[in-house]
């Protein structure tokens, strides 16, 4: 039986409500939210909340799939088109209206973990958020999910926006078919509700044309239907003529040799990690925390104390400002004690958290790289407005030219969000560590993962 895309209206809310409970039946999320016991009163309560909030957000788009023979709505997806947001309101967690009968603690935990992770990764920039994509179990494997995803990808390409989503391990395959990349994970603490645990997969489809700005998002009026064109093909990526190349983002990559530059490196760190919970706990700012001057001095000392530490900067041709930088270490002398980190951390650093995470990572690196000469990338940071301009890749390539010429392997400890770039350049994951930031002054139950990757040399050893 054929199927087709369709807009979802408020009159469809009861069917969508039933679809959600059917799709998540026996899923671990149903244990978290209502002990896997969707009573009629719980379903009715959730429907009331859905109808109450319907059309309140003008950024929301709902797209579904109908069976053309029966007219039945068999699948549903909920999207949000976020424009560039000013101020700090976007950082605030939503005020939740928990349906009657739901486990309030579990509901809040689910929304808080996922929203915090999304805000950390996407920030205030414009993007598309896929909140959910579901199909009645009896109609799965008919291509409904693919139809809705194709529509979303078309919108992303038309507006030059990335798409962010979180998925269960079971659903990740559909999104990977559309070239979504796994960039991180969310750890749900379900110990109070079930014996199982869940790592939700965080995925991103990057904007199709990184060198171009996004286009304005057309806003709908309240209760206005969204135009659906199921037959519209996904457009090919256009090749820009040379005359249209944007030189505003030209950079020069060079070693850091001027001591004055190290204060700017610390400023770039501040901008890059402003919303990163791990870094904010490691090096807290404000009273009793670290300052830009102290961290700049720490970097200067790091280079002075060990000649195998190297800093490389990317400078904007247009402004002359450093917009990104990389620090790497060369383990060249197996007889000498190497000190990739400064002997003394900046005042105010969170030493217990540093030891909990980096001691484990250091032990793994020493085990895997024992007896080898190799390179180690310690830091790679870019100011937010220069993200997805290829700056990080250029800095890494400068470093890789060094280790490839030597015929050495390369090590990096990174956030899952950066894995896509490193894997494209040849790194492979060999381990990692997950730390509960709540044990070190952070949000209770917030799990931060760092992955360890190794890359084989791509060049030929020159003698």
């Amino acid at each position: 039986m054929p199927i087709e895309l369709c807009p979802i209206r408020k009159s469809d809310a009861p069917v969508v409500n039933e679809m959600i409970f059917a799709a998540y039946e026996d899923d671990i999320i149903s244990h978290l939210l209502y002990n896997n016991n969707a009573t009629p009163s719980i379903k009715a309560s959730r429907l009331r909340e859905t109808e109450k909030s319907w059309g309140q957000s003008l950024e929301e788009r709902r797209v579904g799939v109908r069976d053309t023979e029966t007219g039945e709505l068999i699948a549903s997806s909920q999207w949000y088109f976020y424009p560039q947001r000013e101020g700090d309101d976007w950082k605030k967690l939503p005020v939740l209206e928990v349906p009657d009968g739901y486990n309030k603690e579990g509901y809040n935990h689910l929304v808080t973990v996922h929203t915090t992770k999304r805000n950390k990764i996407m920030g205030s920039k414009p993007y598309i958020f896929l909140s959910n994509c579901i199909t009645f179990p009896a109609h799965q494997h008919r291509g409904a999910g693919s139809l809705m995803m194709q529509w979303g990808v078309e919108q992303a390409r038309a507006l030059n926006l990335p798409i962010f989503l979180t998925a269960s391990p079971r659903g990740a395959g559909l999104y990977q078919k559309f070239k979504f990349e796994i960039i991180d994970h969310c750890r749900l603490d379900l110990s109070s509700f079930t014996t199982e645990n869940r790592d939700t997969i965080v995925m991103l489809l990057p904007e199709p044309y990184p060198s171009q700005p996004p286009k304005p998002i057309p806003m709908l009026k309240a209760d206005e239907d969204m135009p659906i064109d199921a037959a519209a093909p996904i457009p090919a990526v256009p090749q820009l003529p040379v005359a249209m190349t944007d030189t505003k983002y030209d950079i020069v990559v060079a070693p850091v040799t001027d001591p004055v530059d190290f204060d700017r490196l610390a400023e770039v760190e501040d901008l890059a990690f402003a919303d990163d919970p791990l870094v904010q706990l490691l090096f807290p700012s404000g009273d009793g925390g670290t300052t830009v001057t102290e961290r700049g001095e720490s970097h200067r000392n790091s280079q002075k104390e060990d000649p195998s530490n190297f800093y490389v900067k990317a400078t904007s041709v247009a402004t002359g400002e450093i917009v990104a930088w990389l620090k790497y270490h060369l383990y060249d002398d197996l007889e000498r004690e190497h000190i990739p980190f400064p002997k003394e951390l900046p005042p105010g650093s969170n030493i217990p958290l540093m030891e909990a995470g980096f001691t484990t990572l250091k032990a793994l690196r020493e085990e895997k790289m024992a007896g080898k000469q190799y390179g180690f990338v310690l830091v790679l940071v870019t100011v937010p407005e220069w993200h997805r301009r290829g700056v990080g890749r250029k800095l890494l390539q400068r470093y890789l030219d060094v280790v490839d010429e030597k015929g050495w392997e390369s090590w990096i400890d990174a956030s899952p969000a950066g894995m896509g770039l490193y894997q494209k350049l040849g790194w492979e994951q060999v381990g990692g560590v997950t730390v509960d930031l709540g044990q070190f002054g952070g949000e209770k139950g917030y799990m931060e993962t760092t992955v360890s990757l190794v890359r084989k040399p791509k060049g030929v050893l020159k003698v």
Side-chain angles (χ1 to χ4, degrees), residues 177-243:
K177 289 179 182 177
F178 285 88
K179 308 303 181 184
F180 279 76
E181 302 171 359
I182 297 175
I183 60 169
D184 208 338
H185 292 79
C186 287
R187 170 58 63 90
L188 296 176
D189 181 6
L190 308 180
S191 57
S192 300
F193 316 102
T194 177
T195 57
E196 301 179 62
N197 271 319
R198 161 69 64 84
D199 270 348
T200 305
I201 299 171
V202 179
M203 307 184 80
L204 183 74
L205 180 69
E207 63 268 45
Y209 321 119
S211 63
Q212 301 179 42
K215 296 180 180 179
I217 299 172
M219 291 290 108
L220 299 179
K221 298 177 182 178
D223 298 325
E224 181 180 5
D225 280 342
M226 175 179 18
I228 299 291
D229 185 359
I234 299 178
V237 178
Q239 296 297 317
L240 293 178
V242 175

Side-chain angles (χ1 to χ4, degrees), residues 206-436:
E207 63 268 45
Y209 321 119
S211 63
Q212 301 179 42
K215 296 180 180 179
I217 299 172
M219 291 290 108
L220 299 179
K221 298 177 182 178
D223 298 325
E224 181 180 5
D225 280 342
M226 175 179 18
I228 299 291
D229 185 359
I234 299 178
V237 178
Q239 296 297 317
L240 293 178
V242 175
M244 292 179 64
T245 301
D246 189 352
T247 59
K248 181 173 68 173
Y249 296 104
D250 284 351
I251 60 168
V252 174
V253 174
V256 177
T257 56
D258 188 341
V260 176
D261 282 344
F262 287 102
D263 288 338
R264 174 58 183 170
L265 301 193
E267 291 176 357
V268 172
E269 273 185 306
D270 268 8
L271 294 169
F273 292 128
D275 299 311
D276 189 300
L278 175 62
V279 175
Q280 293 304 312
L281 280 177
L282 282 172
F283 307 109
S285 56
D287 293 342
T290 63
T291 66
V292 168
T293 301
E294 288 168 341
R295 290 197 300 280
E297 186 63 24
S298 178
H299 287 306
R300 269 188 289 271
N301 291 338
S302 175
Q303 191 172 57
K304 279 193 268 184
E305 290 170 358
D306 193 330
S308 296
N309 279 329
F310 298 87
Y311 288 80
V312 182
K313 62 183 178 180
T315 305
S316 165
V317 172
T319 67
E321 275 199 328
I322 297 173
V323 297
W325 59 274
L326 176 145
K327 177 184 178 182
Y328 67 92
H329 185 87
L330 295 180
Y331 282 84
D332 52 354
D333 185 350
L334 301 182
E335 301 299 322
R336 181 172 63 85
E337 180 184 5
H338 286 251
I339 310 171
F341 293 100
K343 287 180 180 178
E344 294 184 5
L345 292 167
S349 299
N350 191 328
I351 303 300
L353 176 57
M354 180 76 70
E355 292 176 345
F358 290 103
T359 299
T360 302
L361 294 171
K362 182 173 182 286
L364 176 64
R365 176 166 50 85
E366 290 177 343
E367 173 195 341
K368 298 286 186 181
M369 308 305 285
K372 299 178 182 179
Q373 293 177 310
Y374 65 97
F376 177 24
V377 177
L378 289 99
V379 183
L380 173 60
V381 287
T382 306
V383 295
E385 58 266 32
W386 281 77
H387 285 175
R388 302 190 182 282
R389 307 288 178 188
V391 183
R393 190 185 189 103
K394 289 180 180 178
L395 286 167
L396 285 167
Q397 194 56 60
R398 177 67 171 254
Y399 156 74
L400 292 175
D401 287 345
V402 174
V403 290
D404 282 347
E405 184 175 3
K406 294 176 177 292
W408 290 3
E409 294 181 14
S410 179
W411 184 278
I412 189 168
D413 295 319
S415 70
M419 283 184 63
L421 172 60
Y422 305 131
Q423 288 172 330
K424 287 177 183 177
L425 293 172
W427 269 279
E428 296 181 358
Q429 185 176 352
V430 294
V433 64
T434 298
V435 176
D436 182 354

